[in-house]
Amino acid sequence: MMGTLDATTTAAEGPRAHLRVRGALRRADFGDALVFLYLLTFARQYFWVVEHNAAAWILSVALSALAWYAYAATKPSESGRAGRQFWLVVGLPLLFIYALRAAFPDTSFDVLNYRLLHGERSLAGMLYAPGDFFPTPAPYNPAPDTLTALARHLLGYRLGTIVNLFAALWAARIADRILRPFVEGVWTRAACVLLVLMAEHALFEINNYMTDLLAVPLLLEATYLILLMDDEGVAARRTLPARIAFLLGAAVAFKLTNAVVALPLALACAYRALWGRRRLAPKEWPKAVGLALAAFVAPLLPFSIYLYKLTGSPVFPVFNGLFKSPFWPENSGWDTRWGPTGVWEKLAWPVVAFFEPSRHSELAVYSGRLSLGFVAAICGLIIARGDRRLRMLCVLMLSGSLLWSIAGMGYSRYGLFLELLSGVVLVALVLVLLRGVARPSLSWRTVAAALLSAALFAQAALAASYVSTHEWSMRPTFFKNPRAYFAEGREFLRDRSLDGFLSTGQAAVFDGAEVWIESGMKTSGIEVLLNDRAPVVGARHEEYFATRAGRELYVKTIRAAGAKRMLSLSFPEEADAARSLLESRGLQVVRARAVPVPFFSRLSPTTLMLFEVSPRAASLDASGDFWAGAPFPARDYRAEISTAAPPSKLKAGEKASLQFRIRNLGGSVWPARARDDGRFQVNLANRWLDAASLKMLDDMDGRTAMLRDLAPGEESAMALVVNAPETPGEYVLEIDLVHEGVAWFHEKGSQTLKLRVSVEP
């Protein structure tokens, strides 16, 4: 009887499982196919610990399939298929923009600088291979580079960028769903969606291996779900917070700077889930919050753990003043070339950026989409008081823009989501304004709608103009050079490997590399595609040589390479700088020659300088300048300075010898002697400050060298000769230590000794 019951249950369970799978597939849409690939990039990081690459990928695919099923089965509603109107009005123009440069291989700075290397390394396992030494500017999360690398290996170098086109189409589909309550007509809504997508900084990346565009649909989908949270009859309402949290976590994993625009979305989700019109019951809060936190952390966790083990910081290199990785100076890690300066400019930057395009991005062109959206969002909060959906969009737009400006550098590529959200806000506000007009008339609503519409159309036209002339690789378009376009187009689907473009002799040269020494600005991507078996040692990133821990690891890496053949590539215009850099890193150039490298192009080969290098043992000796100029960790610049006889009065211009005791509270030995010219040794020194304002008046007064190296915990008596100021008055004599040519101790947080001194005539 039990066996019969089990058999009946099993037989019944089969059809039910089949129906559940069919239901999940029915709910899936165009973007969900990309979701599987996104999940695959995160799953692969969970299986970095599996040494066998094929087995790791099989496990990754299996885990991704399970996660994708859960994602599709819990969708709050069926998205519906995109009709011909969408593909004709939106799909064709985006395909046209993609095709403009598709035949020419991407040579963008960031792509050659680190994205190609990150993609290749993450396909094979952990981000950095054994023998690598920080080969890229920073070990950014390679999840988006894994995605583009998969496409590159499947479709070739030229068509591998098509994932960005798919991401743009997915973003367009989400914008279509967001705008449905505002626009009923399918053709009209498709035209509005096209306007939303006409933001040049998003379209600049549509056929690049740069990855900022990939996170935009994740953030837009989270926005759409937040809008749904107050709607009646929404399926799977309890799973919405976790679903939104996953999308935000994935966006932040793809780009850490997305955190500044993800934060307002997370707060809006929490508000609607816990205190909104259709909030969850209090008894459901713990489970909902727990699931949301787990969903947010899941895409971030494996790489954060890896990064912590690699560097000592889970968000390396940013916030290093907090996490204090020994491999990076204690600064934020942000690029300070871009964005606003000062509090007031940061608050106004969403608008000011339109007038300062050279500080908005390297391309120095901007049609002002975000600026228009920022102003429209302010107007929307005032005008559309009865439209909760539009008000929420305006709140998200304003808060995200201000955080992007204040905490996100106000840089173009970190605001792509806001660019598209601006388009949504503008279209929605125009239609809400017109909704209150019974018939065509000259009212303030129609005038406002006309002005906003004109501004949006003008911005879209300007964006189209910029897209026809600019993009990150600055490649020509088909119209600029059709003959070259067709010649390069013959390589479509035939450019999966750079080896196919090399002659036998060229391949032999690069196959002989056993270690790559990265000395150029844009060659790590070329090196790893020429020979991915050789580890890459980054010699050009100054931050990793600004600490002793970094220099120690570098020397350890070079010495571990032993007598292996070391090669380095640079562009000809950087050859002299590369040679000097190699010498400063304790390496000598044995041979240099120019070599042609057909970088996925037989038509336009790239000429590079090839250096054969070898270590100079004397330069890497522990007593050399290579070590002496390295700062200690900040915690080792801690000193205790005291005196038994502090001076209270000095004569103007008087020279006085004062006695002090110095204790080393850090963990490094302070050198009493480093070089003959006095650089890099630790000296006792003083500064004169104005007593009222504490403004520094003189920091080049007295210096005293230590008689011997001072080990951690040791102390020493030292005399310091100071010269009183020539002008009588009240002063502060500040006693400090200085690591000559490196840093004052107080700059690293050490306590100084301040003595108030009256200088008399």
Side-chain angles (χ1 to χ4, degrees), residues 79-94 169 172-173 176 180 185-191 193-194:
S79 305
R81 298 291 185 258
R84 68 181 186 279
Q85 299 93 337
F86 176 86
W87 295 113
L88 289 173
V89 177
V90 181
L92 279 181
L94 290 180
L169 289 168
R173 292 285 295 130
D176 179 87
R180 281 178 192 174
V186 179
W187 287 100
T188 305
R189 189 166 64 246
V193 170
L194 180 61

Side-chain angles (χ1 to χ4, degrees), residues 54 65 87 161 210 227 391 463 467 488 496 545 581 606 719 740:
W87 295 113
T161 58
M210 298 173 72
L227 297 176
R391 285 180 64 82
V467 169
E488 294 285 8
R496 290 182 178 85
F545 295 87
L581 178 72
T606 302
E740 298 290 359

Side-chain angles (χ1 to χ4, degrees), residues 324-462:
K324 302 186 187 306
S325 167
F327 300 112
W328 194 269
E330 290 189 16
N331 57 44
S332 66
W334 296 117
D335 191 335
T336 57
R337 294 174 296 168
W338 315 114
T341 58
V343 175
W344 292 111
E345 192 177 52
K346 287 184 177 181
L347 293 175
W349 183 249
V351 175
V352 173
F354 174 67
F355 303 97
E356 295 285 351
S358 61
R359 286 196 284 151
H360 185 243
S361 79
E362 295 92 328
L363 296 177
V365 293
Y366 187 43
S367 68
R369 165 63 70 81
L370 193 150
S371 302
L372 280 176
F374 187 79
V375 174
I378 295 174
C379 297
L381 286 179
I382 299 171
I383 296 170
R385 296 182 179 178
D387 195 309
R388 294 175 58 84
R389 187 176 292 260
L390 178 55
R391 285 180 64 82
M392 175 58 75
L393 288 171
C394 292
V395 168
L396 294 175
M397 178 66 210
L398 288 174
S399 55
S401 298
L402 289 172
L403 281 173
W404 165 77
S405 173
I406 295 168
M409 292 169 48
Y411 178 56
S412 64
R413 291 194 290 114
Y414 303 161
L416 298 189
F417 161 69
L418 297 170
E419 298 270 295
L420 299 195
L421 185 61
S422 294
V424 171
V425 169
L426 282 159
V427 170
L429 180 57
V430 167
L431 293 167
V432 167
L433 285 169
L434 294 177
R435 187 187 297 164
V437 179
R439 63 181 184 276
S441 62
L442 190 62
S443 67
W444 73 267
R445 285 181 171 271
T446 56
V447 171
L451 290 175
L452 286 171
S453 299
L456 180 56
F457 277 106
Q459 175 272 315
L462 187 57

